[in-house]
Amino acid sequence: MDVVLRHHVSTYGAGTLPLVFAHGFGTDQQAWNYVAPAFAADYRVVLFDLVGAGRSDKAAYDFTRYRTLDGYVTDLLNLLRELNLPKVVYVGHSVSGMIGVLAAIRAPELFERLVLLAASPCYVNDGDYIGGFEPDDLEELLGLLDRDYLNWSSAMVPSIVGSDMRPELLDEVLNSFQQVAPAVARQFARATFLSDYRSELAKLGVPALVVQCAHDSVAPSVVGQYLHAHLPGSTLDILDTTGHYPHLNAPVATIAALERYLAPVKAAASA
């Protein structure tokens, strides 16, 4: 199937430099509705759905291919090559942040810069490393998800999004979570939360901005500090906001962080 249709790709904007937005677990490209349009005047905005999410081709989901994040990494590289884009600025939320890191390690020639929004290389506490979850607690959490995904999402989403998210946005996120097929959500959750890519970080040769929330139960701010310390040539910006979805409950701050970081790229493109 055509890659564009497979991922329900949508593009808009007056610029030539591509700005690719990738959503995280439980959401789809609509999660960028409050951020992406701010860049339409200067960039070519590219949005897509991960296979299994949003309006992607659900029949394309393969339980072997997507057992780890590697299947999503391959999808991203195939998509960028199919669109025949110049080097892209890639903005990945949560797990898509690490998908972008792995893709840029594999094919750095496709990427100008990365923006990692509330991303994490490992969600499990391990010695001095604080990932956010104790191993037993995470297994219990995934066990609840396995047994009843819809009730799990109803219980978990409010705590994940943060207390300052407007009720209508909370409903938007919850509805997005509940549109994902439970079997797909179960596998994607394990591929995400049980992953450990700390050993890969030093291999990244593409500049990256790490944007972390000051209060995030999924990816604590110390995770952002860890990423910054282990990604060569990275920049760290911690937003004074709560929750795991700053592009929804703090879009103005998120836009400002991206604009600050991309100012040299924008200037070079218009020179």
Side-chain angles (χ1 to χ4, degrees), residues 236-258:
L236 176 63
D237 197 332
I238 296 182
L239 304 182
D240 186 18
T241 188
T242 300
H244 191 57
Y245 295 82
H247 49 318
L248 290 173
N249 63 353
V252 174
T254 301
I255 291 168
L258 268 64

Side-chain angles (χ1 to χ4, degrees), residues 5-256:
L5 294 176
R6 186 184 189 195
H7 294 281
H8 188 61
V9 176
S10 56
T11 64
Y12 60 83
T16 57
L17 181 66
L19 189 56
V20 178
F21 290 90
H23 65 86
F25 175 83
T27 59
D28 57 38
Q29 63 181 268
Q30 294 185 69
W32 296 110
N33 285 351
Y34 305 98
V35 168
F39 297 90
D42 300 303
Y43 298 87
R44 179 183 177 188
V45 174
V46 180
L47 301 164
F48 70 100
D49 292 330
L50 300 176
V51 171
R55 296 175 66 184
S56 67
D57 176 25
K58 304 302 194 299
Y61 192 87
D62 183 304
F63 284 92
T64 299
R65 179 184 180 88
Y66 298 111
R67 186 169 52 190
T68 69
L69 298 189
D70 187 64
Y72 298 98
V73 173
T74 300
D75 281 356
L76 174 59
L77 295 176
N78 289 343
L79 177 60
L80 296 180
R81 289 173 175 138
E82 179 74 15
L83 293 176
N84 195 29
L85 298 170
K87 280 189 171 185
V88 308
V89 174
Y90 173 89
V91 184
H93 172 240
S94 193
V95 62
S96 279
M98 286 312 302
I99 290 170
V101 168
L102 297 173
I105 290 171
R106 192 187 301 180
E109 69 279 3
L110 298 179
F111 297 87
E112 181 69 33
R113 295 194 184 197
L114 303 179
V115 177
L116 313 178
L117 186 64
S120 175
C122 178
Y123 294 87
V124 180
N125 299 336
D126 178 24
D128 293 336
Y129 175 80
I130 305 300
F133 296 90
E134 290 295 337
D136 290 346
D137 293 340
L138 185 56
E139 279 296 344
E140 181 180 356
L141 192 69
L142 292 172
L144 292 172
L145 186 154
D146 288 345
R147 291 191 289 276
D148 191 338
Y149 173 65
L150 293 182
N151 281 335
W152 176 88
S153 58
S154 294
M156 286 299 300
V157 166
S159 65
I160 293 172
V161 299
S163 59
D164 56 351
M165 183 176 284
R166 302 197 311 271
E168 64 270 22
L169 290 181
L170 173 58
D171 290 342
E172 185 178 313
V173 176
L174 182 57
N175 180 66
S176 179
F177 265 69
Q178 297 189 339
Q179 294 303 310
V180 181
V184 172
R186 286 194 292 268
Q187 177 160 302
F188 193 22
R190 289 189 173 274
T192 298
F193 292 110
L194 298 180
S195 63
D196 184 353
Y197 293 103
R198 288 175 290 173
S199 64
E200 300 297 304
L201 300 179
K203 300 176 185 177
L204 182 67
V206 176
L209 170 65
V210 178
V211 182
Q212 218 77 7
C213 299
H215 309 285
D216 181 351
S217 62
V218 177
S221 60
V222 291
V223 170
Q225 294 165 2
Y226 182 92
L227 282 172
H228 175 47
H230 291 81
L231 289 173
S234 64
T235 302
L236 176 63
D237 197 332
I238 296 182
L239 304 182
D240 186 18
T241 188
T242 300
H244 191 57
Y245 295 82
H247 49 318
L248 290 173
N249 63 353
V252 174
T254 301
I255 291 168

